Amino acid sequence: MNAPCELVLVNTPADLPEALRDAALAHLATVTRRTADDLAALWSHPRPVLARTADRAEALRLQQDIRRAGWHSELREAAPPVVRPAAVAAPERVCPACTHTNAPLARFCGDCGAALPALPVRAPSQHDSDHDDALGATARSVAGLAGLPAVRGFSIGALFDEVFKRRTPAEIEDHLMAGTLRTTPLVTDVSCDWPRPWMFARLFLLSAFLFVMFWAGYRYFANDNLVPGTMVIGSFVVPMTVVLLFYELNAPRNVSLLLVAKLVLLGGAWSLVISLVLFKLGKDVSSLIGASAAGLIEETGKLAAVVFATRSLSSVRYRYTLNGLLFGAAVGAGFAAFESAGYAFVQLVKGGFGAMDNIILLRGGLSPFGHVVWTAITAGALWRVKGALSYHGTLLAERRFLGLFVTAVVCHAIWNAPFSIGPGLTKYVLLGVVAWMIALSLVQDGLGQVRREQQSVGTPTA
């Protein structure tokens, strides 16, 4: 006899507008053959049970119907609730800025985002403290100019302090398997602390090793068959590293690597084609302001590619600002990598392997400060105003979107402008710092969105 099982609706968008919520309920009621009133009674519950049955085959068919409707359900064995023993008493951490009570091991306040006093196990050095204070002041200033809340509780040391921690193969596989219908965590189980990514650094080291292997192989053996590998790997190393960083910053963990790969390849290709069409249509603008016209044209083309590539995705499932940041970073990375490969090929034809090598290293070193983060900002800004709504033109007129879109366009236009700021690559580094401060502010805003959704279902944030 089959064990009883139940279908549970996860990632419930409790903060949907009433009109959209009613439409969603009616749609889901049709699929599950339940009344909208029955579902409405479960709507505020963090794990609403849609159906219980002893027939597992019937439950699997119903789960497929729910999936086709754009919802995420989980099939589990029906069992009485587990009564967990009371945890050993531990001192709660009170925020000195707003007096909010936080979990014993929390590092940042779950209400205002301020950094809590350091835990005794790790006291930062004076050098780290001074660096974080300066970085925090810069972040607050840039965020204010962009119309975003000041970045609080951010520490560059804490953000990357797990990069060199030893991981087992099983941990790595589990880390990379998030985002599918079966592996997306409940929003109530998501941490709203600043993420601590680590996998991106390993991807960079592995990819850099492969690039050096191809490069050294060509230099030693002079075998032309190694040139395409050098060109492709060199063009993709850094953009893909930055994309994986945004993947790890996506706290809801509801985006799969397969979807990211599609956005990098298809979205990157579409963004190039759309931009070329816009350049042809806007040739008068290009002739008027020169290379700076790429700021408006290419940022528009890349954002259009993001919208086109994600148009069929569920707006309810992918409703977070952090999702928009990741989608934009993926399309921007594809654009940057394909463009770098094109420049590398041109240099190879004109100046040989050495010229190609130089352009790959230059563009690779600057790519974290350019297309990837710019498109992440514009797409994150769009998702910030869109949320769980479907695309419509009025979203582009929202002030919260326009301000950030114009900021990315201006950064790109100054990047291409024929003047320098200070010696060497100073201009590009400064523009990159500005862009990343805005991106980090959007990450903080996205974490706040998740926190508010958790609070709407009565779940305390860690």
Side-chain angles (χ1 to χ4, degrees):
M1 180 176 180
N2 291 336
C5 55
E6 58 189 16
L7 275 175
V8 182
L9 183 67
V10 298
N11 290 349
T12 309
D15 58 346
L16 285 177
E18 185 174 354
L20 184 60
R21 184 196 65 182
D22 292 344
L25 280 174
H27 188 192
L28 189 59
T30 302
V31 173
T32 58
R33 296 181 292 278
R34 299 184 63 173
T35 66
D37 291 338
D38 289 342
L39 294 175
L42 300 171
W43 193 255
S44 61
H45 194 279
R47 295 175 177 84
V49 177
L50 298 178
R52 289 187 178 90
T53 178
D55 188 343
R56 189 174 184 84
E58 179 186 356
L60 288 172
R61 285 194 298 271
L62 181 56
Q63 186 180 37
Q64 291 294 328
D65 291 339
I66 293 172
R67 183 181 303 176
R68 282 192 289 270
W71 297 84
H72 177 193
S73 62
E74 182 182 71
L75 182 62
R76 67 185 185 187
E77 291 186 2
V82 178
V83 179
R84 298 181 179 179
V88 178
E92 295 176 324
R93 295 169 60 75
V94 179
C95 176
C98 68
T99 71
H100 177 73
T101 301
N102 297 276
L105 297 181
R107 303 183 62 171
F108 304 104
C109 178
D111 188 35
C112 70
L116 299 176
L119 294 170
V121 295
R122 185 178 185 272
S125 67
Q126 183 62 41
H127 173 76
D128 288 341
S129 178
D130 293 342
H131 177 74
D132 289 341
D133 287 345
L135 187 62
T138 304
R140 286 190 290 274
S141 300
V142 173
L145 291 174
L148 289 167
V151 177
R152 297 184 181 277
F154 172 76
S155 165
I156 193 70
L159 188 65
F160 299 117
D161 65 357
E162 294 203 5
V163 165
F164 300 105
K165 182 178 178 180
R166 189 178 297 275
R167 307 279 179 173
T168 66
E171 288 179 304
I172 296 175
E173 290 178 357
D174 182 67
H175 188 68
L176 297 177
M177 284 300 292
T180 69
L181 289 174
R182 294 181 179 273
T183 60
T184 298
L186 298 170
V187 69
T188 51
D189 295 335
V190 170
S191 171
C192 293
D193 284 342
W194 276 95
R196 293 196 276 178
W198 51 272
M199 190 64 204
F200 76 99
R202 302 183 185 214
L203 175 64
F204 173 75
L205 292 175
L206 174 61
S207 302
F209 172 76
L210 292 175
F211 172 74
V212 171
M213 184 175 68
F214 274 88
W215 177 86
Y218 177 82
R219 289 295 187 184
Y220 186 78
F221 297 107
N223 189 326
D224 292 340
N225 291 333
L226 298 175
V227 174
T230 307
M231 182 187 305
V232 173
I233 295 176
S235 300
F236 276 86
V237 168
V238 181
M240 290 307 300
T241 297
V242 181
V243 170
L244 192 57
L245 173 60
F246 275 102
Y247 173 82
E248 294 184 281
L249 293 176
N250 180 45
R253 295 179 62 76
N254 61 335
V255 180
S256 68
L257 281 178
L258 176 60
L259 177 55
V260 172
K262 288 180 179 179
L263 292 174
V264 170
L265 298 175
L266 295 178
W270 287 335
S271 63
L272 281 171
V273 172
I274 295 172
S275 296
L276 290 173
V277 172
L278 292 177
F279 270 116
K280 189 174 183 63
L281 296 176
K283 57 184 178 181
D284 293 337
V285 177
S286 298
S287 61
L288 181 64
I289 62 176
S292 293
L296 176 61
I297 292 174
E298 291 183 357
E299 295 312 314
T300 301
K302 288 183 292 180
L303 184 61
V306 174
V307 173
F308 184 71
T310 60
R311 69 196 187 284
S312 61
L313 299 180
S314 169
S315 58
V316 174
R317 180 180 178 187
Y318 302 107
R319 62 189 177 277
Y320 299 106
T321 300
L322 294 169
N323 297 160
L325 284 166
L326 175 55
F327 294 159
V331 172
F335 184 99
F338 289 139
E339 188 179 51
S340 291
Y343 281 118
F345 177 76
V346 171
Q347 291 301 315
L348 175 67
V349 173
K350 291 183 176 179
F353 187 85
M356 181 196 78
D357 183 32
N358 290 335
I359 197 68
I360 286 177
L361 292 176
L362 176 62
R363 289 184 62 85
L366 293 177
S367 61
F369 305 136
H371 287 294
V372 185
V373 68
W374 293 333
T375 317
I377 290 172
T378 58
L382 179 59
W383 258 254
R384 187 170 176 238
V385 300
K386 184 180 82 69
L389 300 175
S390 300
Y391 291 114
H392 54 85
T394 58
L395 295 173
L396 302 179
E398 288 278 350
R399 183 177 178 181
R400 292 186 300 160
F401 164 75
L402 284 176
L404 291 170
F405 179 77
V406 170
T407 301
V409 168
V410 170
C411 285
H412 193 163
I414 296 175
W415 182 288
N416 284 18
F419 63 81
S420 300
I421 301 176
L425 302 176
T426 303
K427 177 176 79 169
Y428 306 111
V429 174
L430 290 177
L431 288 170
V433 170
V434 169
W436 271 102
M437 291 303 99
I438 296 173
L440 290 174
S441 187
L442 281 169
V443 171
Q444 176 183 263
D445 188 75
L447 293 172
Q449 178 191 12
V450 176
R451 184 181 300 115
R452 290 189 297 272
E453 186 168 314
Q454 291 178 337
Q455 292 171 344
S456 70
V457 294
T459 302
T461 55

